[in-house]
Amino acid sequence: KANFKVVSYAKGEAKCRYILGFGGMKRNALIENARAEMFKNANLVGGSKVILNENVDVKKGFGFFTTTILVTVSGYVYEFKD
C-alpha cells in the first residue's frame, strides 16, 4: 500500500539575455533562481510534502546580436500520509 500521493505539479522559470556574449547570469545561477521560484509556487507549507522527479530544461534563442536563455525547472509535489 502506497503511503503517498501526487498532489500537484510545480514549475519555475528564469530568463536571461546576453548581448554579444556579455551580461546576464551564469547557468547555475539561472537554475537556482528557477528552482527558488518553483519552491515558491509549490506551496510546501503544511503537511509532509516533497518535490520529486525534478527536471531542468535549458532553451537558447539566438538573435542578431543577442542570445536569450530560458531555464525551466519543474517537478511533482508528493504528500506523504500517515
Side-chain angles (χ1 to χ4, degrees):
K1 181 179 173 184
N3 66 342
F4 61 89
K5 66 178 181 175
V6 179
V7 292
S8 66
Y9 178 77
K11 178 175 146 181
E13 293 182 345
K15 185 176 181 180
C16 187
R17 178 174 291 144
Y18 298 91
I19 299 174
L20 295 174
F22 296 102
M25 294 181 274
K26 301 287 184 187
R27 180 179 172 175
N28 288 341
L30 285 170
I31 292 171
E32 288 303 316
N33 286 349
R35 186 174 286 134
E37 184 179 330
M38 178 187 67
F39 280 118
K40 184 175 78 173
N41 295 336
N43 190 22
L44 297 177
V45 177
S48 299
K49 297 179 185 175
V50 65
I51 296 178
L52 296 176
N53 301 331
E54 183 179 290
N55 296 311
V56 178
D57 295 320
V58 180
K59 294 183 181 178
K60 293 183 181 181
F62 298 98
F64 190 60
F65 289 113
T66 63
T67 302
T68 302
I69 298 177
L70 175 65
V71 174
T72 305
V73 178
S74 60
Y76 291 97
V77 179
Y78 288 79
E79 183 172 20
F80 291 96
K81 306 175 197 174
D82 292 337

